[in-house]
Amino acid sequence: MICKIFSLLTAAAITLPASAQSTEVQLAKPLNIPLYLSGNFGELRSNHFHSGLDFKTQGRTGIPVHSADDGYVSRIVVSPWGFGRAIYITHPSTGLTTVYGHLSSFSPKIDNPVRKRQYEKESFAVDLEFAPDEIPVKRGEQIALSGNSGSSGGPHLHMDVRDTKTEEALDPMPYFKQYITDKVAPELRSLALYPVNGEGVVNGGSSPVTHSPQQTSEPFKAWGKVTPAIKAYDKMSGTSNIYGVKYLTLTVDGNPVYKRVIDRFSFDNTRGINTIVDYAGVVRNNSWMMTSRVAAARPLGDMIEAVDNGVLDINEERDYKCLWILEDEHGNTRRVPFTITGVRHDIPEAVHKGDMLSWKGHNVYSGNGIKASFPAGTFYDDIYLKVTSEPIAGYVTDRFTVGDPTIPVSGEYTIEIDIDRDTVPDKNKYCLVRIDGKRRSAVDAKYVDGKMQGTPNRLGSFAVTTDTRPPVIKPEARANWGKRGRVSYIISDNLSGITEYRGEIDGKWAMFELDGKTGRLSFTMDPSRFNRNINHQVVLKVTDRCGNTSEHKSNFRW
């Protein structure tokens, strides 16, 4: 009886998890402009939580970025993707590390040792560590200029605050909220109620039912086990952006049954985000409906407290008075009441496809030309998995569908696909791809004894094909190279993806910078390395994952 469950709640009341962050620490502003956010901590992103704050930079790059406290540069990452140019500063006095991402350039005291190591490694992309005495910085010292590097979707400064010892991501808002005005409460987009397969019904059926904000006074009719869900976003003063909700609470008849606080997380568990949403809705419609159900594996640990894993048992013919409470770091609160009316109804039996796999065990499927191996903990719940195959034109194997792509997985697993028509002399040209409608993407894989062994991190459809087409190299504004002192290309690949490139000018390695999101590869002529007012030859080689290589040679005067 649900009334008995609630009586237990009173004795062992759910309380909001205590934040491990010290609000006594106040960090300096990283930007000397009014601070507005384009993204906040814990926002729901594809397969991960957003790990920091995105500070707006007035739609432009080149704004000075300052260290938030005394410390030392402990790490520098330069990459075509991810954070792009990023600085990690460790602050021993507070036990914190701050991270500054998507930068356009470093200050000279940082750039000089980084550039030195890039030339030593002959690589633009580097991941470097520094000792405490190598690059010390002071609170408020300029360390970089803001930018749009890496996987950034527009100019901004991404900033993390991390626990130096555990490397967990912490919500930076408590350290910066004195600089940010927020008088706006979170905003409701929709409510939903999900029946548990084979154990509950909603409005007489086995499908979820959704209510718009205008329908919140209309009761859900349910019987058996159900899971409430809500789609909502935080809002802030002075912007039209939407953000993630930090505090989320569900009560039934005045008793808390679910509470979630996103104030810190481990990067090892960030894919656990897929357990607090309707993952099928994310995959199919990019719809982020947050549910109260807690997965059996509980990947998010103390972030969530719940009774009966957040599942309600509607077993009385009465009204269950429910309330969602949404709150942000500034204390702005939205209360969303709704009613579940218990209406007795027959519950259809669950329909399952495939074999049941335990999330706790190591599971292996083998047969019909494919082997799939799932380490213990690959799944968050016990699941049913079915593997099918069918011929597909243009491939050297059948297309194998491994499970339902709307089932989340915690990370990589292994598949082996037999190549029946193994007629390609150069085995490096085989490519394992994941097929999603008309889209296909390469999976990390290698050829071993007539099989392709790969490590996907999602369920879905897979097949083996060949990639014999080399990458494409297109010079960009070649006539202006000499005048601008900047050599630029756009590079791309049709399938397996570019893994390596090398540019030389006059026979010497040149540090071409790759922007992963645009494919732009560029080099600015350096008078300390190349003579002016003479002809120069540039040679660029680009190689993809299957070993296909393109080369482009050109001359210009600078």
Side-chain angles (χ1 to χ4, degrees):
M1 297 288 289
I2 199 165
C3 57
K4 292 182 179 179
I5 294 174
F6 288 163
S7 66
L8 291 174
L9 284 175
T10 306
I14 293 176
T15 57
L16 287 176
S19 173
Q21 295 171 251
S22 171
T23 54
E24 297 177 0
V25 175
Q26 294 297 324
L27 298 176
K29 290 173 65 175
L31 303 167
N32 288 331
I33 58 175
L35 297 186
Y36 294 97
L37 301 184
S38 58
N40 72 336
F41 181 82
E43 279 185 357
L44 310 181
R45 305 284 179 90
S46 178
N47 294 314
H48 70 284
F49 292 104
H50 189 234
S51 63
L53 300 181
D54 285 343
F55 292 108
K56 294 186 177 185
T57 55
Q58 302 175 336
R60 57 193 175 97
T61 62
I63 293 178
V65 177
H66 303 271
S67 175
D69 208 351
D70 293 348
Y72 64 93
V73 174
S74 52
R75 183 184 178 194
I76 294 288
V77 174
V78 180
S79 171
W81 299 278
F83 286 164
R85 284 183 176 85
I87 298 175
Y88 294 66
I89 297 179
T90 296
H91 310 283
S93 64
T94 60
L96 301 175
T97 295
T98 51
V99 185
Y100 311 76
H102 306 308
L103 305 171
S104 62
S105 63
F106 303 130
S107 66
K109 69 183 287 185
I110 298 173
D111 188 62
N112 290 337
V114 170
R115 186 170 288 267
K116 180 176 182 293
R117 295 201 196 180
Q118 286 175 309
Y119 273 94
E120 289 173 353
K121 295 175 177 288
E122 293 195 347
S123 176
F124 165 66
V126 291
D127 188 343
L128 308 172
E129 294 185 354
F130 295 89
D133 60 347
E134 287 189 81
I135 313 178
V137 294
K138 291 292 186 181
R139 182 184 181 97
E141 179 180 344
Q142 182 176 329
I143 56 174
L145 296 177
S146 69
N148 187 33
S149 61
S151 301
S152 170
H156 72 281
L157 171 67
H158 174 97
M159 186 168 184
D160 280 3
V161 175
R162 301 185 185 179
D163 183 315
T164 303
K165 184 177 181 179
T166 67
E167 298 186 351
E168 290 178 302
L170 310 178
D171 184 1
M173 185 64 83
Y175 304 103
F176 294 105
K177 72 177 183 179
Q178 62 175 322
Y179 310 117
I180 298 171
T181 301
D182 182 8
K183 299 179 180 180
V184 185
E187 178 182 272
L188 171 69
R189 294 296 178 88
S190 59
L191 294 174
L193 193 64
Y194 288 72
V196 176
N197 187 22
E199 298 184 66
V201 293
V202 177
N203 288 10
S206 299
S207 299
V209 174
T210 302
H211 285 177
S212 69
Q214 293 73 35
Q215 296 175 300
T216 54
S217 61
E218 179 182 333
F220 294 97
K221 298 177 181 179
W223 193 252
K225 293 185 178 180
V226 296
T227 304
I230 185 170
K231 183 187 290 186
Y233 298 98
D234 196 13
K235 303 282 286 185
M236 290 187 182
S237 301
T239 76
S240 60
N241 297 79
I242 57 175
Y243 310 93
V245 177
K246 180 169 184 176
Y247 300 101
L248 183 63
T249 303
L250 173 66
T251 69
V252 180
D253 295 337
N255 298 293
V257 297
Y258 176 88
K259 289 194 176 184
R260 188 200 75 193
V261 180
I262 306 178
D263 64 350
R264 66 188 296 152
F265 65 84
S266 166
F267 287 96
D268 292 339
N269 296 330
T270 190
R271 287 178 69 95
I273 185 178
N274 295 325
T275 67
I276 63 172
V277 295
D278 171 16
Y279 185 67
V282 174
V283 171
R284 292 168 179 159
N285 307 310
N286 196 34
S287 176
W288 294 85
M289 184 73 73
M290 300 176 287
T291 77
S292 66
R293 183 184 175 279
V294 179
R298 301 188 68 88
L300 301 179
D302 294 339
M303 187 184 294
I304 296 172
E305 292 188 53
V307 173
D308 284 349
N309 291 327
V311 176
L312 307 184
D313 188 1
I314 306 300
N315 53 24
E316 296 181 7
E317 293 185 287
R318 65 176 179 86
D319 285 346
Y320 295 78
K321 296 298 184 181
C322 306
L323 176 68
W324 283 109
I325 305 171
L326 306 96
E327 186 177 355
D328 63 26
E329 179 63 29
H330 286 76
N332 302 300
T333 303
R334 176 79 62 191
R335 301 170 71 86
V336 183
F338 65 101
T339 300
I340 302 174
T341 300
V343 178
R344 192 177 297 274
H345 199 285
D346 291 337
I347 299 174
E349 291 186 6
V351 177
H352 300 295
K353 297 180 180 180
D355 300 318
M356 198 275 282
L357 305 183
S358 168
W359 70 270
K360 293 182 179 180
H362 185 130
N363 298 280
V364 177
Y365 172 91
S366 182
N368 300 321
I370 185 172
K371 179 180 179 181
S373 179
F374 306 98
T378 298
F379 304 107
Y380 297 108
D381 291 287
D382 295 344
I383 68 144
Y384 286 85
L385 182 125
K386 184 177 182 180
V387 178
T388 61
S389 64
E390 61 181 346
I392 180 171
Y395 292 79
V396 298
T397 68
D398 287 352
R399 174 169 56 192
F400 295 88
T401 298
V402 181
D404 186 336
T406 63
I407 297 173
V409 299
S410 65
E412 294 179 346
Y413 60 97
T414 302
I415 60 174
E416 293 182 358
I417 296 180
D418 295 340
I419 304 176
D420 295 329
R421 302 180 290 277
D422 189 2
T423 59
V424 176
D426 184 354
K427 308 306 182 183
N428 291 325
K429 297 298 184 284
Y430 284 125
C431 182
L432 176 64
V433 296
R434 185 180 188 276
I435 303 170
D436 185 6
K438 294 183 178 180
R439 294 178 299 176
R440 58 182 189 169
S441 54
V443 176
D444 283 337
K446 61 182 179 180
Y447 175 91
V448 179
D449 297 331
K451 306 175 187 293
M452 281 297 284
Q453 297 179 349
T455 53
N457 58 14
R458 290 190 297 164
L459 300 179
S461 296
F462 304 91
V464 178
T465 185
T466 56
D467 182 3
T468 59
R469 292 172 54 185
V472 175
I473 301 174
K474 293 183 178 179
E476 186 179 38
R478 181 175 172 277
N480 296 324
W481 287 0
K483 181 170 59 177
R484 297 179 179 176
R486 185 170 182 268
V487 179
S488 182
Y489 297 91
I490 299 295
I491 62 175
S492 61
D493 189 64
N494 68 306
L495 183 59
S496 60
I498 293 169
T499 57
E500 182 181 349
Y501 68 87
R502 180 181 178 86
E504 294 183 352
I505 295 180
D506 301 338
K508 294 190 297 185
W509 180 77
M511 190 167 65
F512 277 84
E513 301 182 7
L514 176 61
D515 184 336
K517 59 183 175 289
T518 63
R520 177 170 286 108
L521 192 62
S522 61
F523 175 76
T524 299
M525 296 295 291
D526 182 350
S528 68
R529 296 180 178 273
F530 299 98
N531 295 326
R532 302 203 63 158
N533 300 315
I534 63 171
N535 292 327
H536 301 276
Q537 183 185 62
V538 56
V539 178
L540 176 64
K541 293 182 180 180
V542 182
T543 304
D544 68 16
R545 190 179 300 182
C546 287
N548 303 298
T549 299
S550 294
E551 180 176 292
H552 187 277
K553 295 181 179 181
S554 190
N555 296 308
F556 67 100
R557 185 174 182 82
W558 174 75

